[in-house]
Every structure is written in C-alpha cells, then in structure tokens.
Amino acid sequence: HPCIRGNVIKLKFDTEDEAKGQWEYNICNNEVAAQVLGLTVNSQASDPRVPPIVVEPYMSTDSSSFPNPVIVYAVVTQGFSPVLGLNVTAIIEPENGRIRTLQLLDNGAGADIIKNDGIYSKYFTDFSGNGRYGLKVRVESKSKTAKLALPKNQALYLPGYVENGAIISNPPKPKVTTDELNLGDFTRTASGVAFRVTEVPSGPLPDVFKPGKIIDLHAIFQGQQVSLSWTATGDDLDKGNASRYDMRMSHNREELLDNFENGTVVDTTDLIPLPAGTMEIFSFTPQNITIKNGTVLYFVLVAIDKVNQMSEPSNLAKALLFIPPDPRSNSKTGAMVLLILLAVFFTTGVVVLSVYCLIRKKRQY
C-alpha cells in the first residue's frame, strides 16, 4: 500500500507467517542522472506471544588511548534465551572514512569469555587515526544455522540457605543443558554507541599487541601418545595467525605454574599455527618418560608472534593415563579369594571341632 508524502514513499506489506525469510525489493531509476536513495525497513512480530530477535551492540569503553585495545560486543537474544550459530559482523567507521570490519565470535576464546552464551565479541586494534569511531553490527543467519538455546530447567539455583542461624549449603549447581531450536534465516542490523580514540601515532602502527592468552587447552592420553587441543590465538590478540608455539610439560604442576620455562620442552617445530578462532589438535609421544597406569603429565602453552612477543601462559592442562582393570581378571581374583576364604573357614572349623572333642574327652576321664 504506497503512501507518498513529499519526497518520501512509504510502502506497507501485509504478510502471513509463511512469508518469513529473505525478502527482495527492486527499485528502478527512470531518470538519466543517478539519484541518492535512503531505505529503512521496520517490521513487527506476526505473533505478539513470540518475542523478537534483538541485537544489542556495545563497546568495552567509550574512550581509549593507543595502544590500549577495545572490545566490540554484540548480544543476540530472543526473550531471555541466547541465539547461537550466527554470522556477526561489526562495521567500524572512523572520522576519516576508512571502514573496518570485524567478525565477532561466540567461541569462548580471545575476547569472548563464555562459549555459546549469545554474546559475540572481538578485540579491535586496527586504529586508523585519532577521533570518533562509529559502530554498527550486522547479524545474519543463513542455511538455517541459527539456533535458540532454551534451558531445560529454568528454576533459580540457590547456593545455600540459613537455618537456625547456620548456613546450610545446597549441592553444586547442575550443569546447564539446552534444547536447540532452529530459527531459520534472518538478518538484523543495529547501531551501537560511538567511542573515541586518542594518541594514535601517524604512519604505520607499531606492532605492540602480543598474541592473546589461550584459555581452553585440553590434554588426554591416547595409548602411549598425548593428544592436546585448543582454540588458536592470533598475532595481535585474537587477530591473524601466531608465528609459533612454545609448549612445556612436567610431572609437577607447581613447576609450570611458578615458572613456565622450567618445564620440559615439547617439540612443536612442525606445528604451524592456524588462524585465530580455529581449533588446533596436536599429538605426540613423550620421550624419556615411562608411561604406565597412573602417569600424570601437566601442560602449558605459549603463543609467539612474528616479532617474538609472547602471550601469557595458557591454562594448565592435565593428562592422566588410567587403564581400567580387566573384568575377567577381577572375576578370577574373586574366585580365588572365595576359595581361600572357604579353605580358611573349613580349617578353622576342623581345628575348633578337634579342640572341643579333646576337652570333652579329658573331662570324661
């Protein structure tokens, strides 16, 4: 239903639920000269009982000075539930017009603290000058990748309660489990608050940002080998590729925590760091170490960039080799123990009976 007011044309579409998804609208310029056109699309939920998908972009600070990085966040929710599996792009425009784009992630690595909580984030370090920077975030769901994480149990957890003046602790909080509901294809765009940056040097920026800390290092024994996995960090925080890794291991966890360099060096020469945000997997066989049931090894990892800046040591990963006992040997052992016990009981019974008979015989005389 077109409505013309001056130079503004307003179109209204009455749609059914089946019409949800991607829409295309073509505009034809009948004039010879090019024309500037602004287009705004507003929509509302077809069902008032279903909350809309909302995007809330914001920055870690509204002002910063070089070389302090800032973090870009985008919270995507439907009601109180996070929306997962999205392609989230931050568009940052400084005063000089040199637009920068960032791919925001919800993977629990780099600037992102918790995986799959609906908060997408990324460090921003590509400053192009002093002044004001604008923020816009575009969210896309294609090929039905978006999922709504609905907690199965929405009851409020209380860590404890007070009874007769004493604090009574409840059992530990159970692990959160979710039902994932597909949301189909959609796009959202939202503008965030602007932020200001000062003290940016002129010319090429110096390489002052070291690789980000790896926070999800995991280790597990697979036979005589140890398999480690982690999310790759970048050359500058969570951007780009690190140049190499330095991995250390030890039987003593305090040795690695107190002084990383005291640990035994793990050969990672053939390990080429992947782009930031990618899952890394590395397996090796420990040398000069006797691997047996109950062996425990601790690991810490550091990323190094092209100018030899080192990240902070990663979280401590523990690998424990546990070989469960053979059930057949257990059954044989149990049978042997049972036979020994029966023999002991039988022998004891014979001895007791013999002593009883001797005492009774003596009394008769």
Side-chain angles (χ1 to χ4, degrees):
H1 306 288
C3 176
I4 302 176
R5 294 181 179 177
N7 294 327
V8 177
I9 301 177
K10 182 178 180 181
L11 300 176
K12 182 178 180 181
F13 299 92
D14 294 325
T15 65
E16 301 295 335
D17 184 63
E18 290 75 10
K20 65 182 181 181
Q22 182 173 344
W23 279 61
E24 292 186 3
Y25 183 72
N26 299 316
I27 299 177
C28 179
N29 180 14
N30 294 323
E31 303 295 330
V32 177
Q35 299 188 63
V36 177
L37 178 69
L39 179 64
T40 302
V41 177
N42 295 318
S43 63
Q44 64 184 29
S46 59
D47 187 347
R49 296 169 297 179
V50 178
I53 297 173
V54 178
V55 181
E56 300 178 68
Y58 65 96
M59 307 293 299
S60 59
T61 180
D62 58 1
S63 62
S64 180
S65 59
F66 186 86
N68 298 310
V70 295
I71 305 176
V72 185
Y73 298 99
V75 183
V76 188
T77 56
Q78 185 177 40
F80 294 103
S81 300
V83 181
L84 313 178
L86 299 173
N87 181 14
V88 182
T89 304
I91 304 168
I92 300 175
E93 184 174 3
E95 291 181 352
N96 58 24
R98 299 175 184 173
I99 296 177
R100 301 288 190 268
T101 59
L102 288 176
Q103 191 75 25
L104 308 188
L105 301 175
D106 184 17
N107 61 353
D112 195 61
I113 299 174
I114 301 175
K115 183 178 180 179
N116 291 339
D117 62 351
I119 303 176
Y120 298 76
S121 56
K122 193 83 169 180
Y123 284 107
F124 175 65
T125 60
D126 196 8
F127 305 110
S128 60
N130 295 315
R132 179 181 178 276
Y133 288 69
L135 170 64
K136 182 183 294 185
V137 170
R138 178 177 175 84
V139 174
E140 293 181 288
S141 169
K142 294 184 177 180
S143 303
K144 296 180 173 57
T145 58
K147 296 180 179 179
L148 185 67
L150 293 175
K152 292 182 179 178
N153 186 354
Q154 301 185 8
L156 177 65
Y157 172 76
L158 297 176
Y161 59 94
V162 177
E163 183 176 317
N164 298 326
I167 299 177
I168 310 298
S169 298
N170 284 325
K173 184 177 181 179
K175 184 178 179 181
V176 176
T177 56
T178 60
D179 287 326
E180 294 184 347
L181 303 179
N182 195 294
L183 296 177
D185 295 346
F186 64 87
T187 60
R188 296 288 187 277
T189 302
S191 297
V193 296
F195 61 100
R196 185 169 294 276
V197 179
T198 59
E199 301 180 19
V200 179
S202 58
L205 296 180
D207 190 349
V208 296
F209 299 107
K210 62 184 181 180
K213 177 181 178 179
I214 296 168
I215 59 177
D216 59 350
L217 180 64
H218 298 280
I220 185 174
F221 270 106
Q222 293 181 338
Q224 295 293 304
Q225 282 194 328
V226 179
S227 178
L228 298 107
S229 62
W230 65 93
T231 303
T233 186
D235 181 86
D236 296 329
L237 297 172
D238 57 0
K239 175 186 177 184
N241 297 52
S243 295
R244 65 184 190 278
Y245 291 115
D246 185 0
M247 182 181 292
R248 305 295 175 106
M249 69 177 180
S250 176
H251 289 290
N252 188 336
R253 66 190 305 271
E254 281 74 21
E255 181 181 46
L256 288 179
L257 293 174
D258 295 340
N259 193 336
F260 166 78
E261 296 181 352
N262 285 343
T264 302
V265 177
V266 177
D267 185 8
T268 57
T269 306
D270 297 331
L271 180 59
I272 300 176
L274 297 175
T278 307
M279 181 58 64
E280 298 257 27
I281 298 176
F282 174 70
S283 298
F284 77 104
T285 302
Q287 302 296 321
N288 303 321
I289 295 177
T290 302
I291 306 297
K292 60 182 181 179
N293 193 19
T295 297
V296 178
L297 291 176
Y298 297 95
F299 297 87
V300 171
L301 182 64
V302 162
I304 305 172
D305 69 6
K306 57 180 176 289
V307 294
N308 292 323
Q309 296 183 110
M310 301 176 65
S311 70
E312 296 180 30
S314 70
N315 63 296
L316 186 72
K318 174 183 176 181
L320 167 64
L321 179 60
F322 173 69
I323 303 175
D326 189 345
R328 293 173 297 180
S329 63
N330 284 347
S331 60
K332 291 180 180 179
T333 302
M336 291 294 295
V337 171
L338 180 60
L339 289 175
I340 293 173
L341 289 175
L342 289 174
V344 170
F345 290 148
F346 178 78
T347 305
T348 303
V350 171
V351 171
V352 171
L353 183 60
S354 299
V355 171
Y356 174 77
C357 291
L358 287 173
I359 294 174
R360 187 172 181 181
K361 191 173 183 180
K362 286 182 179 181
R363 287 179 179 177
Q364 290 177 354
Y365 292 101

